[in-house]
Amino acid sequence: MSETIAVDTPAEPVLKTTPLNAAHLAAGARMVPFAGYSMPVQYIDGVMKEHLWTREHAGLFDVSHMGQARLRGADPLAAFERLTPGDFKGLKAGRQRYSMLLNQAGGIVDDLMAARPDDDGLFVVVNGACKDGDYELMAAVLGPATPIQRLEDRALLALQGPEAAAVLAVHAPQIADMAFMDARAMTAFGVDAIVSRSGYTGEDGYEISVPAAAAPAVWATLLADERVRPIGLGARDSLRLEAGLPLYGHDLDETVSPVEGDLVFALSKRRRQAGDFPGAARILKELAGGAARTKVCLRILEGAPAREGAEVADEAGAVVGVVTSGGYSPCLKGGVALAFVPPALKAVGTKLKVIVRGKAQAAEVVASPFVPHRYVRKV
Amino acid sequence: MRFTKDHEWVEVSGDVATIGITAYAAEQLGDVVFVEVPDVGKSVSAGDGLAVVESVKAASDVYAPVSGEVVEANGALGESPDTVNAAPEAAGWFAKVRLSDPAEVDKLMDRPAYEAFLATL
């Protein structure tokens, strides 16, 4: 027996660890290489139970492998628009925005969250596997006028699920009046924290940045609440997949544009009109109907789950696309996948096939997300 | 029962070998959500892919520990793939193979040898 779908291989021979490494080992985590770090793929409960626990209660994730940085300088919001298609000049204090770094060809270098938790410039969170390249790109484009400070001495925790708000309010009552995508610097757990009401599971929840030295105590404090269990990368992946959220390096890469990736919501109206972001020529053309492919959500209606790399065929059997990430949905009890198909085949209800180990299995385009988001947009 | 380093087991009755994965393998996989068993009549050589078992996270091949012809497949796993977790070394079997070379079984580990192997992992 052997796994045919491997986890990410380490980028470096020696794996880094997060400030919570000892806590993971003590909790019985199975550790795997991910983004150059040794990370928990699951704890004793296993992926299925961890997934369902997060949907029903509150799951605690260590996402300290992700890159946290501050952009400062004279006008970091305006400067950040040179890298992204978002409206950062219009980003209000206390708010966070999902965006992406674009290359000159309109491809996505990384997707990210950028926030104004305080008056100290922009707080940016990028993917762990991309962070070194991201910071190089930022430095090259922005120059010394917009210095980037990597916050290597901070950990990042995510508390996600319908009971997350009640749990966190015990320790940080000031979070109760935050809405989805609010971000705030505050004193919580006795340390300086940056808290956003966001996450990557489709659930209500928070991401909590704390000093690395304080992370084990914050982790233990949250886990002491019986509503909270630790959740590994395995369930993090199945949760984000059910939420229809793309995973960089799989659903998105440097060839994929925001239009192809179904991320048009992240293209600011003002920026589109100005056409002043990297790759604007291609992206504006695609917005006008010129995209060669588009991301869709597929339900697999029979047979095995379709995983990354599985071909997508039309009803006549012609290969028309590919699965970029896919697996088993614990909530829907069946296969779900994100795939690229020609735009003509993107309508909800379109019947397609996925080819799994040589067998053509019925699949159907469905609306995104697979499992409804439960963000708290107003409090 | 005999075992492989890939964590398959074989139980021979007459000239037919029943094949499954060990309790250790089932625990490592986690919750099994889908099983693909071979068609009856398929010929397999030792080391060939025999079945596929899938968890939420990944698909894993189950290799044939012995050579022969598939004479029965465990169709019940289609409805109840979780049987692989509940009873991996009993009701969670995948297929029965009529042995073409019974001597292959003798090359596999017995339980003490397999348990000693697990202790090295």
Side-chain angles (χ1 to χ4, degrees), chain B residues 1-119:
Chain B
M1 203 173 261
R2 295 298 187 106
F3 303 88
T4 71
K5 288 188 173 180
D6 291 326
H7 310 289
E8 289 98 6
W9 57 263
V10 173
E11 177 127 281
V12 177
S13 173
D15 64 349
V16 172
T18 303
I19 297 165
I21 63 169
T22 66
Y24 172 85
E27 196 277 331
Q28 287 290 308
L29 274 175
D31 296 281
V32 172
V33 298
F34 183 84
V35 176
E36 186 171 291
V37 294
D39 294 332
V40 170
K42 181 183 179 181
S43 282
V44 293
S45 297
D48 286 355
L50 179 75
V52 179
V53 59
E54 302 210 19
S55 66
V56 175
K57 178 169 77 71
S60 302
D61 288 318
V62 177
Y63 300 112
V66 290
S67 306
E69 180 189 337
V70 175
V71 294
E72 192 178 346
N74 189 355
L77 297 181
E79 284 296 305
S80 311
D82 53 340
T83 304
V84 176
N85 296 113
E89 297 181 17
W93 61 278
F94 293 106
K96 297 186 182 189
V97 170
R98 177 162 287 120
L99 295 166
S100 58
D101 180 5
E104 286 176 341
V105 177
D106 299 328
K107 296 176 194 161
L108 303 176
M109 290 180 278
D110 60 14
R111 191 174 287 276
Y114 178 64
E115 286 177 356
F117 168 66
L118 288 183

Side-chain angles (χ1 to χ4, degrees), chain A residues 328-377:
Chain A
Y328 180 86
S329 160
C331 291
L332 302 178
K333 299 190 187 338
V336 296
L338 303 182
F340 277 127
V341 299
L345 297 174
K346 75 174 186 182
V348 168
T350 302
K351 303 286 188 194
L352 295 168
K353 303 279 188 189
V354 288
I355 315 297
V356 180
R357 295 186 285 275
K359 289 180 190 161
Q361 302 175 180
E364 182 178 348
V365 177
V366 299
S368 182
F370 297 104
V371 171
H373 295 163
R374 295 200 281 185
Y375 306 140
V376 176
R377 294 186 185 274

Side-chain angles (χ1 to χ4, degrees), chain A residues 32-45:
Chain A
V32 299
F34 185 83
Y37 286 78
S38 178
M39 296 295 290
V41 67
Q42 64 171 77
Y43 299 85
I44 291 166
D45 283 346

